[in-house]
Amino acid sequence: MRKIIHIDMDAFFASVEMRDNPSLRNKPIAVGGSSEHRGVLCTANYEARKFGVKSAMPSGLARRLCPNLVLVQPNFKKYSAASKDVFKIFQDYTDLIEPLSLDEGYLDVTASSAHRNSASLMAQEIRLRISKKLELTASAGISCNKLLAKMACDYNKPNGQFTVAPHEVEAFIKRVPIEKLWGIGKVTANRLHQLEIKNCDDLQKYSRQDLIHYMGKFGNNLYDYCRGIDEREVESEWERKSVGNEETFREDVSDLGEMKMITLRLAAELKETLEQYKDRIIKNLHVKIKYFDFKQTTIERQMNFSEQSFMTLLEERWNQDPRPVRLLGVGIKFVETKNDPFQLPLLTELAV
Ligand code: TTP
Ligand code: MG
């Protein structure tokens, strides 16, 4: 059984603007709406939403609904930077992170040891760290698959979280209106409404064959989704840039022979870890030395991966500065093969 957290920042662009300009707080604000963005809003804060102002709304209409609305020009660089900070926090819990947009992503924490593997407590801590460090709020949904985690995330939004435990799935999913189910757009929702299908409980009355007959291929997935079943994996777009292995000693080490033996062991362990990355190409090797006074130095070089290579690097660097050492590390960097997701065009730039 998987443990999935879905996190979505609250009123993301608007929250970043309010954080950086306190005079905007407690006012209804919206981001976007200038002619250069075809006069459409990217988002609005929750104050403005009380008036019906929302994403993708033309600014003229928004002003009519909310005459005091403050319009802020978007600053995508800022949102991208904030997004990076948010995803950096996620990385402390798992490598299996699937970004859905700048402000939203799935985390597969099945194998995370934090909080004794309690995904709910991890989500709580992630949200706390986001609010303390970045002064932004996030909401989270926690469950055993992507479908349920994403729906759960909307339950206590903004600034809240909701968990659907495995024994609660059956009762939870029955009450979900079909238009909230993943993959169901307006057109499909209307078609289903015409058949008097309002929620997943209604949908569950149809056989797999019926649903495939009515909906085509998607009917097959729908049969599972309306039962809360979703086998989709969290597809990480993150690519490891490097792998390392290091050790801090109980007592400082000053003997080169001893350090070489330690390096040999660290390198052998690293080699084992690298078994999982057989499809990647190693760019270079490095050795890190931290001295007793916490001064640190790294030597990095393109060379073949072998335990001997690391010992050579160690010897070379330590001979230049032979002082007591408190930490030794070995590591490699990979040749990058994937794009950094943050370098891709912003989804929002495309949407506006
Ligand atoms: P959302 O997560 O959909 O919205 P939100 O974060 O503003 O509000 P909440 O999650 O609390 O409901 O989108 C994230 C950001 O993406 C949003 O702040 C602005 C941008 N965006 C657009 O530019 N155009 C759009 O049509 C949408 C939906 C979002
Ligand atoms: Mg959001």
Side-chain angles (χ1 to χ4, degrees):
M1 179 93 56
R2 293 188 182 119
K3 293 193 177 187
I4 310 293
I5 303 177
H6 175 267
I7 300 210
D8 187 324
M9 302 295 293
D10 303 321
F12 186 48
F13 293 5
S15 302
V16 173
E17 295 301 340
M18 290 192 292
R19 174 190 72 181
D20 295 347
N21 181 353
S23 75
L24 295 174
R25 293 174 200 166
N26 307 316
K27 286 182 187 156
I29 77 157
V31 175
S34 68
S35 55
E36 118 196 44
H37 294 95
R38 288 191 224 122
V40 168
L41 303 182
C42 297
T43 194
N45 66 357
Y46 278 81
E47 191 60 37
R49 287 184 203 192
K50 288 183 197 159
F51 297 84
V53 176
K54 56 184 183 187
S55 297
M57 181 178 269
S59 50
L61 174 56
R63 276 191 197 286
R64 254 172 283 148
L65 290 172
C66 176
N68 293 329
L69 187 69
V70 180
L71 274 186
V72 182
Q73 287 306 302
N75 181 341
F76 293 107
K77 270 203 190 116
K78 243 166 48 171
Y79 314 142
S80 177
S83 170
K84 264 191 186 175
D85 293 339
V86 170
F87 279 84
K88 221 178 263 158
I89 291 177
F90 297 167
Q91 282 182 298
D92 287 344
Y93 299 84
T94 175
D95 281 336
L96 267 180
I97 301 163
E98 180 179 337
L100 296 176
S101 71
L102 279 183
D103 87 321
E104 182 184 354
Y106 291 112
L107 285 71
D108 184 330
V109 295
T110 314
S112 303
S113 57
H115 292 289
R116 294 200 192 149
N117 195 233
S118 159
S120 301
L121 291 180
M122 282 187 243
Q124 195 101 49
E125 186 178 88
I126 290 170
R127 292 178 41 248
L128 189 71
R129 286 176 66 188
I130 290 175
S131 93
K132 284 217 162 129
K133 189 142 184 259
L134 310 177
E135 294 176 69
L136 296 168
T137 63
S139 299
I142 301 101
S143 195
C144 46
N145 62 42
K146 294 204 303 194
L147 177 88
L148 294 164
K150 187 166 166 73
M151 288 189 297
C153 188
D154 285 335
Y155 264 68
N156 277 326
K157 202 171 207 346
N159 197 15
Q161 66 181 63
F162 189 77
T163 303
V164 184
H167 69 276
E168 296 163 340
V169 171
E170 216 182 305
F172 175 84
I173 195 77
K174 276 180 195 276
R175 288 198 301 269
V176 170
I178 47 128
E179 59 272 17
K180 294 269 184 202
L181 207 55
W182 192 85
I184 295 199
K186 267 198 187 133
V187 177
T188 313
N190 284 339
R191 277 182 59 196
L192 291 171
H193 282 158
Q194 277 164 13
L195 295 166
E196 295 290 312
I197 302 172
K198 299 244 160 8
N199 53 35
C200 287
D201 193 25
D202 301 333
L203 205 51
Q204 283 182 10
K205 305 211 162 67
Y206 291 78
S207 71
R208 199 181 278 275
Q209 281 68 32
D210 282 343
L211 290 179
I212 294 172
H213 179 71
Y214 290 131
M215 319 284 306
K217 244 174 148 181
F218 181 63
N220 191 31
N221 292 336
L222 202 53
Y223 181 83
D224 292 329
Y225 292 169
C226 73
R227 289 170 171 74
I229 300 168
D230 175 16
E231 300 290 344
R232 289 173 303 148
E233 284 182 17
V234 170
E235 287 175 30
S236 167
E237 282 186 34
W238 296 93
E239 182 177 71
R240 269 206 107 107
K241 293 194 166 78
S242 61
V243 184
N245 186 20
E246 59 183 45
E247 187 172 312
T248 306
F249 313 130
R250 239 173 285 159
E251 282 170 35
D252 300 338
V253 180
S254 312
D255 177 61
L256 180 60
E258 193 180 341
M259 274 189 270
K260 277 183 159 179
M261 292 312 290
I262 294 164
T263 303
L264 194 67
R265 178 170 49 76
L266 290 174
E269 287 167 2
L270 178 66
K271 198 171 172 182
E272 249 171 63
T273 312
L274 286 173
E275 287 288 307
Q276 312 164 38
Y277 300 94
K278 278 200 169 118
D279 53 331
R280 303 287 301 275
I281 301 166
I282 291 173
K283 186 161 84 180
N284 59 36
L285 316 184
H286 65 256
V287 166
K288 179 165 112 183
I289 299 174
K290 199 186 265 178
Y291 290 105
F292 72 102
D293 58 358
F294 286 86
K295 289 227 170 74
Q296 187 175 305
T297 175
T298 301
I299 174 166
E300 182 175 280
R301 188 167 305 157
Q302 255 183 354
M303 54 205 304
N304 284 334
F305 186 97
S306 75
E307 283 95 336
Q308 183 57 48
S309 301
F310 289 107
M311 291 202 287
T312 308
L313 289 175
L314 166 80
E315 187 164 7
E316 205 179 299
R317 177 52 51 96
W318 192 72
N319 279 339
Q320 291 166 352
D321 189 5
R323 293 184 297 137
V325 170
R326 62 174 274 116
L327 172 149
L328 271 181
V330 298
I332 57 105
K333 276 205 183 111
F334 290 120
V335 173
E336 285 173 37
T337 57
K338 280 187 189 173
N339 287 326
D340 182 337
F342 294 106
Q343 299 304 318
L344 297 173
L346 297 179
L347 290 179
T348 42
E349 275 177 327
L350 301 174
V352 175

